[in-house]
Amino acid sequence: MKMALKDGQVLIKEADNNQFLIIKSWGKMKWSKAELMFYGPADIELLNKLSGLVRLPGPIEQVRQHLNEVAAAIDQERMKEKPEPLYKYPVKLPLYQHQTRGANMALIAFGLIEPPGKETAHEKK
């Protein structure tokens, strides 16, 4: 099986019959008869399913791991009893806990800040 990541899409060619049937049963990817390949969004669910089916190429595995880290950070933020702002939000009044939690989760989800506890390459130097 050949796999590539292009413009946020996972492209799969030359899947054997068993792999073809499994991927088709998920309903997450579309089959292109003209190009004889599957294509679908590179989201966390699809990448985790594919990793259970085959070993992902390095760059695609890195994307999968990053998406899993972001999801874990969002879940951790959701469960915090007393969330602290991860950014100085431009509001006049103090935010309620649920507002702080939601704003923090949004910053992490949209990639505006790195998940807390994760060092960036710049910080490691």
Side-chain angles (χ1 to χ4, degrees):
M1 176 186 319
K2 293 182 181 177
M3 193 179 309
L5 188 62
K6 183 178 179 183
D7 298 328
Q9 296 278 314
V10 177
L11 310 173
I12 297 177
K13 279 189 170 187
E14 299 178 13
D16 65 29
N17 287 338
N18 194 23
Q19 293 168 336
F20 181 93
L21 292 173
I22 292 170
I23 293 170
K24 190 171 177 124
S25 72
W26 295 337
K28 299 276 301 164
M29 301 187 85
K30 294 184 180 181
W31 175 252
S32 170
K33 287 184 182 179
E35 298 177 10
L36 298 176
M37 72 175 182
F38 280 108
Y39 63 95
D43 62 10
I44 191 169
E45 182 182 0
L46 179 60
L47 293 178
N48 283 334
K49 284 184 176 201
L50 284 170
S51 73
L53 182 62
V54 296
R55 184 168 181 235
L56 298 177
I60 298 174
E61 178 62 22
Q62 288 177 347
V63 169
R64 185 185 79 83
Q65 288 177 0
H66 176 72
L67 290 173
N68 283 325
E69 288 171 359
V70 168
I74 290 171
D75 287 341
Q76 183 180 13
E77 190 66 34
R78 180 180 294 120
M79 296 302 170
K80 281 186 179 175
E81 200 164 310
K82 295 192 183 223
E84 294 294 324
L86 298 176
Y87 180 80
K88 182 163 177 13
Y89 297 110
V91 294
K92 292 181 181 180
L93 298 174
L95 295 174
Y96 291 105
Q97 284 185 357
H98 71 281
Q99 293 170 322
T100 302
R101 189 176 290 119
N104 288 347
M105 289 166 41
L107 288 177
I108 296 168
F110 292 123
L112 298 174
I113 62 169
E114 284 294 317
K118 183 178 183 244
E119 290 183 51
T120 61
H122 184 278
E123 292 172 349
K124 287 181 182 178
K125 291 181 180 178

